[in-house]
Amino acid sequence: MKVVSVVCLAIALAAVPASASSPFVSGFASGDPADCLEGPFPVDRIRIARVDGVDTLFVTDTRARFKTVSVAPNTRYTLRFTAAFTGDVEAIEENPRFAVFAMPGQTSSVLPSRELQFLNAAGTPIQGTLVSGIPFRDRHEYVDVFYTPPQAASIRLSVSSGDGVTLAMQDLAFEKTFQEDALNVNPAFRLGPFNYSGWQNISAGGKLIERDGKTVFDTKYGSRGSRFPLSGPGTYALSATATGNGYNSCVKVDIFDAQDKKLMTAVLRRYDQVQYFVAPPEAVCASFLVYSCLLEEVRLVRIGDEKAIEAHPIMSRTR
């Protein structure tokens, strides 16, 4: 079994803009895990040490829960960290099938994993928890881009080492993310072939693949995107670069109100066109549902108020 030293983790510690109370201010520079983790925790299994001059958190055969950090609701954030692990277990480098553990919600008791939990103002967990594996043995940067739920007031990161495994973690950073040229995150899959930011339920057989030098999402039949907030009422444009890959190929965007009621669906079936629609006044968020596509990118953009629809003949007001 291949075992790679966590010394391979050594890279420069990034400066992170955050509040003074955040555990992400200076990585693990204090040398004391209690400064960034909630207690109690097993001190014989969690420690901070310097590896080639870089402060590194080591978690062995246990779970580490970070202190909560204040967040704004309906806001886009990015979490980054670098990690590697040692232990007598397989990793994605030895078993490519372990790519499944890069998908949302997929973890194993013998592999490291991460969890992002959202809490309301009372400190009670709310819906929207993000869970994924840490499947690379060698040094790898993990990036999660997401929107906070409407009721979110804080966020808590937890990492699990996996049974009999030592996880080494560096370069922990958490910050607000500027808007891209779309309301949805990761619209062109530029975060790479193991990053499912922006998606929550992957259809059976669906996965990110490499095609002609690009990361492409083979959606199979019915992959669901994460919900993201809309920019108020008005006219929206739905576009995609995709190739049909099976029955009923299409990109749908469902529109919801604050009570989680679906108000309408806009559908794009021709990927050389743009679908324009007017969102109802009570619309607050949206989510993609994609069928039978090799999807290179998908974008939802607000282009103006309700009258902007008059300039565009292709429209879907209700469906």
Side-chain angles (χ1 to χ4, degrees):
M1 179 62 61
K2 178 183 176 185
V3 177
V4 179
S5 170
V6 292
V7 172
C8 70
L9 270 169
I11 51 182
L13 189 65
V16 183
S19 65
S21 60
S22 169
F24 307 121
V25 169
S26 56
F28 310 113
S30 75
D32 185 356
D35 288 340
C36 58
L37 301 181
E38 291 186 351
F41 56 84
V43 295
D44 58 332
R45 296 185 180 184
I46 297 177
R47 62 188 177 90
I48 294 174
R50 292 182 67 80
V51 177
D52 287 353
V54 181
D55 299 295
T56 306
L57 176 70
F58 292 88
V59 181
T60 301
D61 202 20
T62 192
R63 177 182 177 90
R65 191 165 75 166
F66 287 81
K67 294 180 178 179
T68 58
V69 178
S70 296
V71 295
N74 287 329
T75 302
R76 190 186 313 207
Y77 287 88
T78 298
L79 172 76
R80 298 177 184 270
F81 64 90
T82 302
F85 71 84
T86 59
D88 191 21
V89 297
E90 283 189 306
I92 199 171
E93 290 92 340
E94 297 96 38
N95 188 344
R97 293 183 178 181
F98 275 33
V100 68
F101 296 115
M103 293 183 178
Q106 300 296 320
T107 61
S108 167
S109 62
V110 297
L111 278 179
S113 62
R114 63 194 187 273
E115 176 185 283
L116 280 168
Q117 186 179 55
F118 302 100
L119 301 95
N120 62 21
T124 303
I126 58 178
Q127 288 186 339
T129 298
L130 304 176
V131 180
S132 189
I134 300 175
F136 287 88
R137 181 186 304 278
D138 295 342
R139 186 183 73 190
H140 183 81
E141 184 183 43
Y142 296 87
V143 181
D144 294 317
V145 185
F146 55 89
Y147 280 100
T148 52
Q151 300 83 22
S154 61
I155 191 171
R156 177 190 290 126
L157 169 67
S158 298
V159 295
S160 296
S161 67
D163 297 340
V165 172
T166 293
L167 172 68
M169 187 175 181
Q170 292 179 346
D171 293 352
L172 182 60
F174 179 66
E175 58 189 346
K176 288 184 179 180
T177 306
F178 291 109
Q179 295 286 334
E180 303 173 67
D181 53 348
L183 292 173
N184 52 298
V185 304
N186 195 23
F189 307 106
R190 293 195 181 102
L191 295 174
F194 299 100
N195 193 306
Y196 289 85
S197 292
W199 298 87
Q200 64 179 30
N201 291 319
I202 311 301
S203 181
K207 61 182 178 180
L208 293 171
I209 61 174
E210 290 290 310
R211 186 186 187 209
D212 299 329
K214 296 180 179 179
T215 299
V216 177
F217 186 14
D218 183 357
T219 68
K220 299 306 183 189
Y221 198 73
S223 287
R224 170 68 73 178
S226 305
R227 295 198 181 184
F228 54 91
L230 296 177
S231 301
T235 301
Y236 288 81
L238 170 64
S239 63
T241 301
T243 303
N245 189 36
Y247 173 72
N248 189 34
S249 177
C250 63
V251 174
K252 298 183 177 183
V253 61
D254 293 326
I255 308 299
F256 301 89
D257 68 10
Q259 285 70 49
D260 207 33
K261 177 184 176 182
K262 186 165 74 172
L263 302 174
M264 63 167 289
T265 299
V267 184
L268 183 67
R269 297 186 185 277
R270 290 189 56 178
Y271 306 125
D272 59 346
Q273 296 182 345
V274 177
Q275 183 73 35
Y276 300 95
F277 65 92
V278 175
E282 62 270 33
V284 298
C285 66
S287 173
F288 294 121
L289 182 59
V290 185
Y291 293 91
S292 304
C293 277
L294 294 176
L295 188 64
E296 295 181 32
E297 60 182 79
V298 59
R299 300 176 189 276
L300 187 69
V301 179
R302 185 181 184 275
I303 62 169
D305 62 18
E306 292 86 345
K307 294 182 179 180
I309 191 71
E310 298 171 2
H312 303 283
I314 305 170
M315 66 184 70
S316 174
R317 293 180 184 274
T318 58
R319 194 178 291 268

